[in-house]
């Protein structure tokens, strides 16, 4: 597997937000865990609460900022590009959740990046069996990075 092409854009303060190299490492870990071997491109935008809320309302009909939004690429038939999609991660929500859950901030960033990347690959957690499979894969990928299971109470 070649290293993924990960473009990171910061639309908010970078204070407490990981560097692009960290996001690249986490996306790569998710791809490896999901056994994706093809060339892959992902775009990540780090946003503030206002933009996170506006996007969540526009695309999911929910009027609050959420931690991560995943937008899988919807390429026309016959257009064979390595782009799998875009992630939008809301920095203040990530920081708040990490504090509330007693998690290391970097570990929570890693988890949400991996979670969002798996969504881009088609993983979901709507049905219980899907949720168990996705959470199990996330847990294994995170363990490979030395990060504890985020689903333990």
């Amino acid at each position: 597997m070649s290293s993924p092409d990960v473009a990171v854009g910061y639309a908010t303060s970078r204070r407490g937000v990981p560097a692009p190299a960290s996001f690249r490492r986490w996306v790569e870990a998710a791809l490896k865990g999901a056994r994706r071997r093809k060339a892959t491109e992902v775009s990540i935008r780090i946003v503030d609460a206002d933009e996170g809320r506006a996007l969540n309302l526009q695309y999911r009909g929910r009027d609050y900022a959420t931690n991560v939004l995943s937008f899988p690429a919807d390429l026309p038939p016959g257009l064979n590009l390595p782009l799998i999609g875009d992630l939008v991660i809301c920095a203040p929500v990530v920081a708040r959740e990490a504090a509330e859950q007693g998690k290391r901030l970097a570990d929570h960033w890693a988890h949400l990046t991996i979670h969002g990347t798996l969504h881009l690959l088609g993983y979901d957690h709507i049905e219980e069996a899907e949720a168990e499979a996705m959470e199990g894969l996330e847990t294994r990928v995170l363990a490979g990075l030395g990060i504890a299971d985020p689903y333990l109470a």
Side-chain angles (χ1 to χ4, degrees):
M1 177 178 90
S2 62
S3 292
D5 183 5
V6 179
V8 181
Y10 297 87
T12 188
S13 168
R14 290 185 64 169
R15 179 182 294 275
V17 179
S22 295
F23 288 107
R24 194 170 303 110
R25 184 168 53 99
W26 298 329
V27 168
E28 188 168 11
L31 297 172
K32 183 178 177 187
R35 295 187 169 96
R36 180 173 172 99
R37 290 175 172 70
K38 297 189 282 185
T40 304
E41 292 179 9
V42 175
S43 161
I44 300 174
R45 180 174 172 85
I46 310 303
V47 300
D48 63 15
D50 289 339
E51 185 173 348
R53 179 180 179 183
L55 290 168
N56 200 28
L57 180 60
Q58 179 178 353
Y59 290 100
R60 296 179 65 225
R62 298 187 176 153
D63 193 14
Y64 58 88
T66 190
N67 50 25
V68 62
L69 292 166
S70 302
F71 298 95
D74 187 16
L75 302 174
L79 187 57
N80 197 8
L81 297 175
L83 178 66
I84 61 170
D86 305 321
L87 298 178
V88 175
I89 306 176
C90 186
V93 173
V94 175
R96 186 192 76 234
E97 289 177 347
E100 289 172 354
Q101 298 168 19
K103 296 177 180 175
R104 288 185 57 233
L105 183 56
D107 291 354
H108 199 44
W109 277 103
H111 177 217
L112 294 174
T113 303
I114 290 164
H115 181 88
T117 301
L118 293 177
H119 274 305
L120 296 179
L121 294 173
Y123 288 83
D124 213 332
H125 47 79
I126 295 170
E127 303 293 329
E128 187 174 338
E130 292 175 331
E132 288 177 12
M134 185 173 180
E135 290 173 9
L137 179 53
E138 288 173 39
T139 299
R140 288 189 299 279
V141 170
L142 289 164
L145 295 169
I147 298 172
D149 181 347
Y151 296 105
L152 290 178

